Amino acid sequence: MAAPAVAEETVKIGVNQPLTGPFAASGAYVVNGAKIAADEINAKGGVLGKKIQLVIEDNKSNPTEAAAVAEKLITSDKTPVMMGAWGSSLTLAVMPKLEEYEIPMLVETSSSGKITTSGNPFVFRISPPSALEAEMFAPMVEKLGIKKVDFLVINNDWGRGAAADFGKMLKGKGVEVGLTETMDAAAQDMSAQLAKIKGTDADTIMITAAVDQLTLLFKQMAATGVKKRVVTTGGSQNPDQIVAQAGSAAEKTMHLTTFLPWSPDKTPDPKATEYFLAEWKKRGYPFAGTTESFRGYDGVRTIAAAIEKAGSVEPKAIQKAFWDVELTGLNGPIKFVKSGPEGKESGQSKPGVYLIEISDGQIAEVKL
């Protein structure tokens, strides 16, 4: 006789993040933020009367690995819902697996527009696509006196998408768009690109890259005498880490970010922010990681809310329940609106976007 089916003792959530490779620092922060949320929820009784179990896998900062990790989480680990996959190229590589197996995924970081416009109804994103980030930055352009912009971006969906979306917005506001230079994710020497940019009459460089590469860039800009306004996009800069690693080379750089851990009282839910920051500190993690880790924290809270609303761990029920989720995340209300072709819409939430500046080694929101 067949053995009776044993009910799962936990509610599994698959976590697909870069824990090695060029994006490892960021992926680890997201995972640690996710653990804080899972522990907090479990301390209050879990979801559906069961504890959350995070099934964490390393996608090695590689799109092929990200797709393989998704397959493993779905077929071997039997996770009914996932969170991932940090970078846009990683997330885009996972998306066909979501459709193949009909498993929903909460996207916590990626900003490529294609993620929510390509017609994948299993995608629910809480981070801003670069088009939304550009829209939020638009009112600041004139106040900053930006006249001409060059782009220096990572050569993947994230970077190229940012250059396209910000470029379109800037042209619409009468700002001239000059060079668009690209660099590989693992590139260490950007002197050729910087030499070209130094020679233009652009007053501003918009940069899209991960934190370690930004640090190298700022040092190389200082060494080669590139003196232009810098605005970074993508919300993955870890300004405190840049201050620690780049020192004076990061002075006066500006960064678009989606969380204000430096001013908890100005965040949408100060009490939740204070809890999260205190817990992060208690665990011995660096404060610099909070601008990434909050994504994992909000991501798991959002998934848990969907599971609770679904009243089930069936993937289809969770997918449907995402549309009914409403909560206040650390960077604003989380509520999904439809994005993409009719009948196959993805869910997109609209978080807050802030402009901060590094000045005298301190970080503060730019008041315009």
Side-chain angles (χ1 to χ4, degrees):
M1 290 178 65
V6 179
E8 289 281 357
E9 296 298 315
T10 59
V11 174
K12 291 181 178 178
I13 297 173
V15 179
N16 186 341
Q17 291 290 313
L19 302 177
T20 54
F23 310 135
S26 296
Y29 288 146
V30 170
V31 164
N32 287 330
K35 288 177 179 176
I36 290 175
D39 290 346
E40 180 185 10
I41 292 162
N42 286 341
K44 294 175 181 175
V47 290
L48 307 180
K50 297 179 180 180
K51 297 288 178 76
I52 288 173
Q53 178 190 350
L54 301 181
V55 185
I56 299 161
E57 291 288 343
D58 176 16
N59 64 37
K60 302 177 183 175
S61 303
N62 179 288
T64 304
E65 288 285 345
V69 160
E71 178 115 27
K72 176 189 178 293
L73 287 169
I74 295 165
T75 61
S76 176
D77 298 305
K78 309 294 183 189
T79 58
V81 60
M82 296 189 291
M83 182 178 77
W86 196 77
S88 294
S89 294
L90 306 173
T91 298
L92 287 162
V94 167
M95 282 168 52
K97 298 294 182 186
L98 307 181
E99 288 201 283
E100 180 183 349
Y101 294 104
E102 300 188 326
I103 297 289
M105 184 165 85
L106 186 291
V107 177
E108 85 299 327
T109 304
S110 311
S111 61
S112 168
K114 288 191 282 186
I115 288 165
T116 46
T117 57
S118 63
N120 190 318
F122 299 95
V123 166
F124 295 86
R125 174 161 58 179
I126 59 171
S127 54
S130 49
L132 177 57
E133 199 181 1
E135 178 191 320
M136 307 282 268
F137 181 57
M140 308 178 198
V141 170
E142 195 174 338
K143 293 175 182 176
L144 288 170
I146 296 173
K147 303 297 182 191
K148 184 174 180 180
V149 173
D150 288 334
F151 286 92
L152 178 54
V153 300
I154 194 167
N155 190 17
N156 62 16
D157 295 289
W158 174 35
R160 293 189 302 269
D165 288 328
F166 276 88
K168 183 179 178 183
M169 178 275 290
L170 290 165
K171 286 174 185 173
K173 294 190 72 67
V175 175
E176 189 179 347
V177 174
L179 295 178
T180 298
E181 290 291 315
T182 62
M183 54 197 167
D184 291 335
Q188 303 279 305
D189 180 7
M190 280 69 73
S191 55
Q193 293 95 325
L194 290 173
K196 288 184 190 176
I197 289 170
K198 184 180 179 181
T200 76
D201 60 348
D203 52 74
T204 301
I205 312 170
M206 296 201 75
I207 304 175
T208 305
V211 61
D212 291 329
Q213 199 163 40
L214 285 174
T215 298
L216 289 171
L217 266 173
F218 295 155
K219 287 181 177 179
Q220 288 170 26
M221 287 169 69
T224 54
V226 178
K227 299 183 187 300
K228 303 191 182 195
R229 180 190 293 109
V230 168
V231 180
T232 75
T233 84
S236 295
Q237 311 91 338
N238 302 344
D240 293 276
Q241 194 174 335
I242 288 172
V243 170
Q245 293 176 181
S248 60
E251 188 68 10
K252 296 300 178 188
T253 58
M254 295 182 182
H255 309 270
L256 287 166
T257 188
T258 50
F259 181 41
L260 285 176
W262 314 278
S263 307
D265 56 317
K266 294 181 184 174
T267 62
D269 187 345
K271 190 176 175 185
T273 300
E274 284 169 8
Y275 169 81
F276 172 71
L277 293 176
E279 192 62 32
W280 184 258
K281 184 178 180 182
K282 192 198 303 182
R283 297 183 185 212
Y285 299 137
F287 181 82
T290 57
T291 51
E292 290 273 13
S293 58
F294 89 93
R295 303 172 189 277
Y297 180 74
D298 275 354
V300 167
R301 291 165 76 210
T302 304
I303 291 171
I307 294 169
E308 201 68 59
K309 279 192 176 293
S312 160
V313 290
E314 288 300 316
K316 277 285 180 68
I318 297 169
Q319 177 199 14
K320 188 180 175 201
F322 268 121
W323 292 111
D324 298 322
V325 166
E326 286 191 51
L327 71 149
T328 303
L330 298 189
N331 69 339
I334 294 174
K335 179 177 169 56
F336 297 104
V337 297
K338 291 182 176 181
S339 173
E342 190 175 348
K344 296 193 72 180
E345 296 98 340
S346 301
Q348 176 66 59
S349 187
K350 189 174 182 177
V353 175
Y354 312 95
L355 182 67
I356 60 97
E357 183 180 46
I358 295 170
S359 182
D360 297 324
Q362 302 298 309
I363 293 148
E365 187 179 5
V366 176
K367 292 298 182 187
L368 295 169

